[in-house]
Amino acid sequence: MRGIVSEANNSEAFSEAKMSDVAVIGGGINGCALAYELAKKGVNATVFEKGYLGSGATGRCGGGIRQQFDTEDNIRLVMESVKIFEKMEKELGYDIEYDQGGYLVLAHSDEEKERFKKNVELQRSMGLGVNFLEKEEIKELCPILDVDGAKAVGATFCQTDGHANPFRVTEAYAKNAERLGAEIKTFTEVKGIKKEKRFEIITEKEKMFADVVVNAAGCYSKQIAEMVGVKLPNKPYRHEILATESLKPVLKPMIISFMDGIYFCQHKTGQIVGGIGNPDEPSGINTESSFWFLEKMASTITRYIPSFKNLNVLRQWAGMYDVTPDARPILGKTNVKNFFVVCGFSGHGFMVAPVTAKLMSELIVDGKTSMPIDNLSIERFKKGVIRKEGAVVG
Amino acid sequence: MDDETIVCRCEDITYQEVVDTVDEGYTTLDEIKRKLRCGMGPCQGRTCMRLIARIIKEKTGRHLDEILMPASRPPEKPVPLGIFASYEVGSKNARNCKRSEQFRSIFGGKDE
Ligand SMILES: Cc1cc2nc3c(=O)[nH]c(=O)nc-3n(C[C@H](O)[C@H](O)[C@H](O)COP(=O)(O)OP(=O)(O)OC[C@H]3O[C@@H](n4cnc5c(N)ncnc54)[C@H](O)[C@@H]3O)c2cc1C
Ligand code: FES
């Protein structure tokens, strides 16, 4: 990339417009973290965000950070991410409300139990501290949970899983990126991209030239890719979530179930925050709240923790999942030279952002990554053999 | 209003904190809500949102109508989960969800 930059600097044709090494489209956690990692490598990035920072999926998400996946790629990515989260408050100088209360993943059938035991074996072989729990052990770990009500027959638990405040993390990355020289343009929508020798980024306010463009536009990444003729298989799906009033600390781990599609935890502010997926949700961009969700969430969570029936719901909202056919992100190069994608996070893009940003900055600046990400390239969909992540909620 | 006047009672946010946040470049209600948590308390901003919108107006000169357009986040009033839960299972006792002393001693939580 250094080569491209110097070549570009020799040309005079663009001298009247502004130049940036890298244009990042999307000011969510992924765009902001990438701008920071690039800035750390001395590369000048400009982030374009059509709303405010975190106004997409990031500011609406649950903030959960889970290493207990069933594909090696996902496990490894989140394990690396957790290492970064653990040092983040120091590195970025921000309170990100990070809490490693663990994730308790419930199994509801013998079949699921067996599958979870296999997952634990794989995860442990990769160095993750995770255990399989029998019914009695679940009760010990989380006395407030009604194990029978939840119809749980076993569970897995990983103490280093947890959650953080997505808005804070995004802000921490953005402020530090700016401190190191990145430019962040909020309320600036990218309307078009022209590819000539360089990329021309067109917004309502101005034009800008960049050597490299990174598409981190969340559920709009498909549209952004189309601007340069790249086709993405992603589809947007609404996902709803709610928050209750604040309580004393009563719930340590995040509780999730793939069968019920539910997850919830208690944030540091005391609120219980959680969501549940709707298997019949049609694809499309929609951030309306539904009564269906409120009923479904309330009836499920009160089955898990009966005393919550007295708990006041304060608000509910919705955000978009940017879903790929195998529920894994798309990272890396495309067939358009110097146009990169960081999208398709399918409901777990907050937790992997710290590590994907790092890897993408390596790919863009050094041309190679410190961890393999070939399995996550867009090319995999052409080959036709994809391994779907099974451990997804909603 | 002076600097220490509380504008958001639920989350204990002062006039000065809001002014500082606007000065930092956060000029929409949604951003200020996320940054300071004001508007996220038990009253869900019914008390403070207009006050905060007025501060934004003073500082930026934008119109109140334009400032006061945050996404609605139903339910409008705090409602116990049990009501919605029983709604689904169709129980007639759905509305019988008064909090007991015992609930409060375990969980804390304020009644309106
Ligand atoms: C309800 C819910 C709960 C979730 N819970 C979790 C969780 O617990 N853990 C987890 O890891 N993940 C969770 N997720 C998923 C997570 O939120 C996303 O994967 C992640 O935030 C994606 O971040 P991003 O930066 O890639 O995208 P986004 O945050 O969506 O950012 C993309 C940005 O691009 C901007 N944009 C789009 N088009 C343009 C344009 N033309 N010009 C300029 N800007 C543009 C958008 O405004 C947006 O801000 C959840 C998601 C939802 C909806
Ligand atoms: S006064 Fe601000 S949320 Fe109630």
Side-chain angles (χ1 to χ4, degrees), chain A residues 25-31 48-52 54-65 103 188-191 216-220 224 227 239-241 254 263 317-321 342 345-352:
Chain A
I25 305 176
I29 179 70
N30 281 290
F48 294 87
E49 166 53 53
K50 68 176 176 168
Y52 56 88
S55 58
T58 300
R60 299 159 184 272
C61 96
I65 301 162
Y103 255 65
T188 309
E189 182 171 355
V190 173
K191 297 278 193 188
C219 72
Y220 296 95
I224 298 291
M227 291 178 183
H239 197 85
E240 297 186 74
I241 181 165
M254 170 91 82
Y263 64 91
W317 66 96
M320 298 306 304
Y321 274 18
V342 184
F345 288 98
S346 311
H348 37 268
F350 170 70
M351 59 183 83
V352 291

Coordinates of all heavy atoms in Angstrom, one line a residue, chain A residues 25-31 48-52 54-65 103 188-191 216-220 224 227 239-241 254 263 317-321 342 345-352, ligand 1:
Chain A
I25 N -15.9 3.4 5.2 CA -17.3 3.8 5.2 C -18.1 3.1 6.3 O -18.2 1.9 6.3 CB -17.9 3.5 3.8 CG1 -17.1 4.2 2.7 CG2 -19.4 4.0 3.7 CD1 -17.5 3.9 1.3
G26 N -18.6 3.9 7.2 CA -19.3 3.3 8.4 C -18.6 3.7 9.7 O -17.5 3.3 9.9
G27 N -19.3 4.3 10.5 CA -18.8 4.7 11.8 C -19.4 3.9 13.0 O -19.8 4.5 14.0
G28 N -19.4 2.6 12.8 CA -19.8 1.7 13.9 C -18.5 1.3 14.6 O -17.5 1.8 14.3
I29 N -18.7 0.2 15.4 CA -17.5 -0.3 16.1 C -16.4 -0.7 15.1 O -15.2 -0.5 15.3 CB -17.9 -1.4 17.1 CG1 -16.7 -2.0 17.8 CG2 -18.6 -2.6 16.4 CD1 -16.1 -1.0 18.8
N30 N -16.8 -1.3 14.0 CA -15.8 -1.9 13.1 C -15.0 -0.8 12.4 O -13.8 -0.8 12.3 CB -16.4 -2.9 12.1 CG -16.6 -4.2 12.8 OD1 -15.6 -4.9 13.1 ND2 -17.8 -4.6 13.1
G31 N -15.8 0.3 11.9 CA -15.1 1.4 11.2 C -14.2 2.2 12.1 O -13.1 2.5 11.8
F48 N -16.3 7.9 7.2 CA -17.6 8.5 6.8 C -18.7 7.8 7.5 O -18.9 6.6 7.4 CB -17.8 8.4 5.3 CG -16.7 9.1 4.5 CD1 -15.5 8.5 4.1 CD2 -17.0 10.4 4.0 CE1 -14.6 9.1 3.4 CE2 -16.0 11.1 3.3 CZ -14.8 10.4 3.0
E49 N -19.5 8.6 8.2 CA -20.7 8.0 8.9 C -21.9 8.9 8.6 O -21.9 10.1 8.9 CB -20.4 8.0 10.4 CG -21.6 7.7 11.3 CD -22.4 6.5 10.9 OE1 -21.8 5.4 10.8 OE2 -23.6 6.6 10.7
K50 N -22.9 8.2 8.2 CA -24.1 9.0 7.8 C -24.9 9.6 8.9 O -25.6 10.6 8.8 CB -25.0 8.3 6.8 CG -25.7 7.1 7.4 CD -26.6 6.5 6.4 CE -27.3 5.3 6.9 NZ -28.4 4.8 6.1
G51 N -24.8 8.9 10.1 CA -25.5 9.5 11.3 C -24.5 9.9 12.3 O -23.4 10.5 12.0
Y52 N -24.7 9.5 13.6 CA -23.7 9.7 14.6 C -22.9 8.4 14.8 O -23.4 7.4 14.3 CB -24.3 10.3 15.9 CG -25.3 9.4 16.5 CD1 -25.0 8.4 17.4 CD2 -26.7 9.6 16.2 CE1 -26.0 7.6 17.9 CE2 -27.7 8.8 16.8 CZ -27.3 7.8 17.6 OH -28.3 7.0 18.1
G54 N -21.9 5.0 16.0 CA -22.7 4.0 16.7 C -24.2 4.0 16.4 O -25.0 3.4 17.1
S55 N -24.6 4.8 15.4 CA -26.0 4.9 15.2 C -26.6 3.7 14.4 O -27.8 3.5 14.3 CB -26.4 6.2 14.4 OG -25.6 6.2 13.2
G56 N -25.7 2.8 13.9 CA -26.2 1.6 13.2 C -26.4 0.5 14.2 O -27.0 0.7 15.3
A57 N -26.0 -0.7 13.9 CA -26.2 -1.8 14.8 C -25.4 -1.7 16.1 O -25.9 -2.0 17.2 CB -25.7 -3.1 14.1
T58 N -24.3 -1.0 16.0 CA -23.4 -1.0 17.2 C -24.1 -0.4 18.4 O -24.1 -0.9 19.5 CB -22.1 -0.2 16.9 OG1 -21.4 -0.8 15.9 CG2 -21.2 -0.1 18.1
G59 N -24.7 0.8 18.3 CA -25.3 1.5 19.4 C -26.6 0.8 19.9 O -27.2 1.1 20.9
R60 N -27.1 -0.2 19.1 CA -28.3 -0.9 19.5 C -28.0 -2.3 20.0 O -29.0 -3.0 20.3 CB -29.2 -1.0 18.2 CG -29.6 0.3 17.7 CD -30.0 0.2 16.2 NE -30.2 1.6 15.7 CZ -31.4 2.2 15.8 NH1 -32.4 1.5 16.3 NH2 -31.6 3.4 15.3
C61 N -26.8 -2.7 20.1 CA -26.5 -4.1 20.3 C -26.4 -4.4 21.8 O -26.3 -3.5 22.7 CB -25.3 -4.5 19.6 SG -23.7 -4.5 20.4
G62 N -26.3 -5.7 22.1 CA -26.3 -6.1 23.5 C -24.9 -6.0 24.2 O -24.8 -6.1 25.4
G63 N -23.9 -5.9 23.4 CA -22.6 -5.7 24.0 C -21.9 -7.0 24.5 O -20.9 -7.0 25.1
G64 N -22.5 -8.1 24.1 CA -22.0 -9.4 24.6 C -20.8 -9.9 23.9 O -20.6 -9.6 22.7
I65 N -19.9 -10.5 24.7 CA -18.6 -10.9 24.2 C -18.4 -12.4 24.6 O -18.2 -12.8 25.7 CB -17.4 -10.1 24.8 CG1 -17.6 -8.6 24.4 CG2 -16.1 -10.6 24.3 CD1 -16.8 -7.7 25.3
Y103 N -20.4 -16.4 30.4 CA -21.6 -16.8 29.6 C -22.0 -18.2 30.0 O -21.2 -19.1 30.0 CB -21.3 -16.8 28.1 CG -21.7 -15.7 27.2 CD1 -21.2 -14.4 27.4 CD2 -22.6 -15.9 26.2 CE1 -21.6 -13.3 26.6 CE2 -23.0 -14.8 25.3 CZ -22.5 -13.6 25.5 OH -22.8 -12.6 24.7
T188 N -22.3 12.4 7.5 CA -21.8 12.6 6.1 C -22.1 11.3 5.4 O -21.4 10.3 5.6 CB -20.3 12.9 6.2 OG1 -20.0 14.0 7.1 CG2 -19.8 13.2 4.8
E189 N -23.1 11.2 4.6 CA -23.4 10.0 3.9 C -22.6 9.9 2.6 O -22.5 10.8 1.8 CB -24.9 10.0 3.6 CG -25.4 8.7 2.9 CD -26.9 8.6 2.8 OE1 -27.6 9.4 3.3 OE2 -27.3 7.6 2.2
V190 N -22.1 8.7 2.4 CA -21.5 8.4 1.1 C -22.6 8.1 0.1 O -23.4 7.2 0.3 CB -20.5 7.2 1.2 CG1 -19.9 6.8 -0.2 CG2 -19.3 7.6 2.1
K191 N -22.6 8.9 -1.0 CA -23.6 8.7 -2.0 C -23.2 7.9 -3.2 O -24.0 7.4 -4.0 CB -24.1 10.1 -2.5 CG -24.7 11.0 -1.4 CD -26.1 10.6 -1.3 CE -26.8 11.7 -0.4 NZ -28.2 11.3 -0.1
A216 N -17.4 -0.8 5.7 CA -17.7 -1.3 7.1 C -19.1 -0.7 7.4 O -19.4 -0.2 8.5 CB -16.7 -0.8 8.1
A217 N -20.0 -0.8 6.4 CA -21.3 -0.1 6.5 C -22.4 -1.0 7.1 O -23.6 -0.7 6.9 CB -21.7 0.4 5.1
G218 N -22.1 -2.0 7.8 CA -23.1 -2.9 8.4 C -24.1 -3.3 7.5 O -23.8 -3.9 6.4
C219 N -25.4 -3.1 7.8 CA -26.5 -3.7 7.0 C -26.6 -2.9 5.7 O -27.4 -3.3 4.8 CB -27.8 -3.7 7.8 SG -28.5 -2.1 8.0
Y220 N -25.8 -1.9 5.5 CA -25.8 -1.2 4.2 C -24.6 -1.6 3.4 O -24.3 -1.0 2.3 CB -25.8 0.3 4.4 CG -27.1 0.8 5.0 CD1 -27.2 1.0 6.4 CD2 -28.2 1.0 4.2 CE1 -28.3 1.5 7.0 CE2 -29.4 1.5 4.8 CZ -29.5 1.7 6.2 OH -30.6 2.1 6.8
I224 N -23.2 -0.4 -0.5 CA -21.9 0.3 -0.7 C -21.1 -0.6 -1.7 O -20.5 0.0 -2.6 CB -21.2 0.4 0.6 CG1 -22.0 1.3 1.6 CG2 -19.8 0.9 0.4 CD1 -22.1 2.7 1.3
M227 N -21.8 0.0 -5.3 CA -21.3 1.2 -5.9 C -20.0 1.0 -6.7 O -19.7 1.8 -7.6 CB -21.0 2.3 -4.8 CG -22.2 2.8 -4.1 SD -21.7 4.0 -2.8 CE -23.4 4.3 -2.1
H239 N -33.5 -7.3 14.5 CA -33.4 -8.0 15.8 C -33.7 -7.1 16.9 O -33.3 -5.9 17.0 CB -31.9 -8.5 15.9 CG -31.8 -9.6 17.0 ND1 -32.1 -10.9 16.7 CD2 -31.6 -9.5 18.3 CE1 -32.0 -11.6 17.8 NE2 -31.7 -10.8 18.8
E240 N -34.6 -7.5 17.8 CA -35.2 -6.7 18.8 C -34.5 -7.0 20.2 O -34.1 -8.1 20.5 CB -36.7 -6.8 18.9 CG -37.3 -6.3 17.6 CD -38.8 -6.3 17.7 OE1 -39.4 -5.4 18.4 OE2 -39.5 -7.2 17.1
I241 N -34.6 -6.0 21.1 CA -33.9 -6.1 22.4 C -34.7 -5.1 23.4 O -35.3 -4.2 22.9 CB -32.4 -5.7 22.2 CG1 -31.6 -5.8 23.4 CG2 -32.3 -4.3 21.5 CD1 -30.1 -5.7 23.2
M254 N -24.0 -13.9 31.6 CA -25.0 -13.7 30.5 C -25.6 -15.1 30.3 O -24.9 -16.1 30.3 CB -24.2 -13.3 29.3 CG -25.0 -13.3 28.0 SD -25.8 -11.8 27.6 CE -24.5 -10.8 26.9
Y263 N -31.1 -14.3 24.9 CA -29.9 -14.0 25.6 C -30.2 -12.8 26.5 O -31.0 -11.9 26.2 CB -28.7 -13.6 24.7 CG -29.0 -12.4 23.9 CD1 -28.6 -11.1 24.4 CD2 -29.6 -12.4 22.7 CE1 -28.9 -10.0 23.7 CE2 -29.9 -11.3 21.9 CZ -29.5 -10.1 22.4 OH -29.8 -8.9 21.7
W317 N -36.1 -1.7 21.7 CA -35.7 -1.1 20.5 C -35.3 -2.2 19.5 O -35.3 -3.3 19.9 CB -34.6 0.0 20.7 CG -33.3 -0.6 21.2 CD1 -32.2 -0.9 20.4 CD2 -32.9 -0.8 22.5 NE1 -31.2 -1.4 21.2 CE2 -31.6 -1.3 22.5 CE3 -33.6 -0.7 23.8 CZ2 -30.9 -1.7 23.7 CZ3 -32.9 -1.0 24.9 CH2 -31.6 -1.5 24.9
A318 N -34.9 -1.8 18.3 CA -34.5 -2.8 17.3 C -33.3 -2.3 16.5 O -33.1 -1.1 16.4 CB -35.7 -3.1 16.4
G319 N -32.5 -3.3 16.0 CA -31.4 -3.0 15.2 C -31.3 -4.0 14.1 O -32.1 -4.9 14.1
M320 N -30.3 -3.8 13.2 CA -30.2 -4.7 12.1 C -29.0 -5.7 12.3 O -27.9 -5.3 12.6 CB -30.0 -3.9 10.8 CG -31.2 -3.0 10.5 SD -32.8 -3.8 10.4 CE -32.4 -5.1 9.2
Y321 N -29.3 -7.0 12.0 CA -28.2 -7.9 11.8 C -27.8 -7.9 10.3 O -28.8 -7.9 9.5 CB -28.7 -9.4 12.1 CG -28.6 -9.8 13.6 CD1 -28.5 -8.9 14.6 CD2 -28.7 -11.2 13.9 CE1 -28.5 -9.4 16.0 CE2 -28.7 -11.6 15.2 CZ -28.6 -10.7 16.2 OH -28.5 -11.2 17.5
V342 N -15.4 -5.4 5.4 CA -15.4 -5.8 6.8 C -16.9 -5.8 7.2 O -17.4 -4.8 7.7 CB -14.7 -4.8 7.7 CG1 -14.6 -5.2 9.1 CG2 -13.3 -4.5 7.1
F345 N -21.4 -9.5 9.9 CA -21.1 -10.0 11.2 C -22.2 -10.8 11.8 O -22.0 -11.4 12.9 CB -20.7 -8.8 12.1 CG -19.3 -8.4 11.8 CD1 -19.1 -7.2 11.0 CD2 -18.2 -9.1 12.2 CE1 -17.8 -6.8 10.6 CE2 -16.9 -8.6 11.9 CZ -16.7 -7.5 11.1
S346 N -23.4 -10.8 11.2 CA -24.5 -11.7 11.6 C -24.7 -11.8 13.1 O -24.8 -12.9 13.7 CB -24.1 -13.1 11.1 OG -23.7 -13.1 9.8
G347 N -24.8 -10.7 13.8 CA -25.2 -10.8 15.2 C -24.1 -11.0 16.2 O -24.3 -11.1 17.4
H348 N -22.8 -11.0 15.7 CA -21.7 -11.0 16.7 C -20.6 -10.1 16.2 O -19.4 -10.6 16.3 CB -21.3 -12.4 17.1 CG -21.4 -13.4 16.0 ND1 -22.4 -14.2 15.7 CD2 -20.4 -13.7 15.1 CE1 -22.2 -15.0 14.7 NE2 -21.0 -14.7 14.3
G349 N -20.9 -9.0 15.7 CA -19.8 -8.1 15.2 C -19.2 -7.2 16.2 O -18.1 -6.5 15.9
F350 N -19.8 -7.0 17.3 CA -19.2 -6.2 18.3 C -18.0 -6.9 19.0 O -16.9 -6.3 19.1 CB -20.3 -5.8 19.4 CG -19.7 -5.1 20.6 CD1 -19.2 -3.8 20.5 CD2 -19.6 -5.8 21.8 CE1 -18.6 -3.2 21.6 CE2 -19.1 -5.2 22.9 CZ -18.6 -3.9 22.8
M351 N -18.3 -8.1 19.4 CA -17.3 -8.9 20.1 C -16.0 -9.1 19.3 O -14.9 -9.2 19.9 CB -17.8 -10.2 20.6 CG -18.3 -11.1 19.5 SD -19.0 -12.6 20.2 CE -20.7 -12.1 20.6
V352 N -16.1 -9.2 18.0 CA -14.8 -9.5 17.2 C -14.2 -8.3 16.6 O -13.1 -8.3 16.1 CB -15.1 -10.5 16.0 CG1 -15.4 -11.9 16.6 CG2 -16.2 -10.0 15.1
Ligands
LIG1 C1 -30.3 -6.1 18.9 C2 -28.9 -6.4 18.6 C3 -28.1 -7.1 19.5 C4 -26.8 -7.5 19.3 N1 -26.1 -8.0 20.2 C5 -24.8 -8.3 20.0 C6 -23.9 -8.8 21.0 O1 -24.4 -9.1 22.2 N2 -22.6 -9.0 20.8 C7 -22.1 -8.8 19.5 O2 -20.9 -9.0 19.3 N3 -22.9 -8.3 18.5 C8 -24.2 -8.0 18.7 N4 -24.9 -7.5 17.7 C9 -24.4 -7.4 16.4 C10 -23.5 -6.1 16.4 O3 -24.3 -5.0 16.8 C11 -23.0 -5.8 15.0 O4 -22.5 -7.0 14.4 C12 -21.9 -4.7 15.0 O5 -22.4 -3.6 15.8 C13 -21.6 -4.3 13.6 O6 -20.8 -3.2 13.7 P1 -20.4 -2.5 12.4 O7 -19.5 -1.3 12.8 O8 -19.8 -3.5 11.4 O9 -21.8 -2.0 11.8 P2 -22.7 -0.8 12.2 O10 -22.6 -0.5 13.7 O11 -24.1 -1.1 11.7 O12 -22.1 0.4 11.5 C14 -22.3 0.7 10.1 C15 -22.4 2.2 10.0 O13 -22.4 2.5 8.6 C16 -23.2 3.6 8.5 N5 -23.5 3.8 7.0 C17 -24.3 3.0 6.3 N6 -24.3 3.4 5.0 C18 -23.6 4.5 5.0 C19 -23.3 5.5 3.9 N7 -23.8 5.3 2.7 N8 -22.5 6.5 4.2 C20 -22.0 6.7 5.5 N9 -22.2 5.8 6.5 C21 -23.0 4.8 6.2 C22 -24.4 3.4 9.3 O14 -25.0 4.6 9.7 C23 -23.7 2.7 10.5 O15 -23.5 3.6 11.6 C24 -26.3 -7.2 18.0 C25 -27.0 -6.5 17.0 C26 -28.4 -6.2 17.3 C27 -29.1 -5.5 16.3

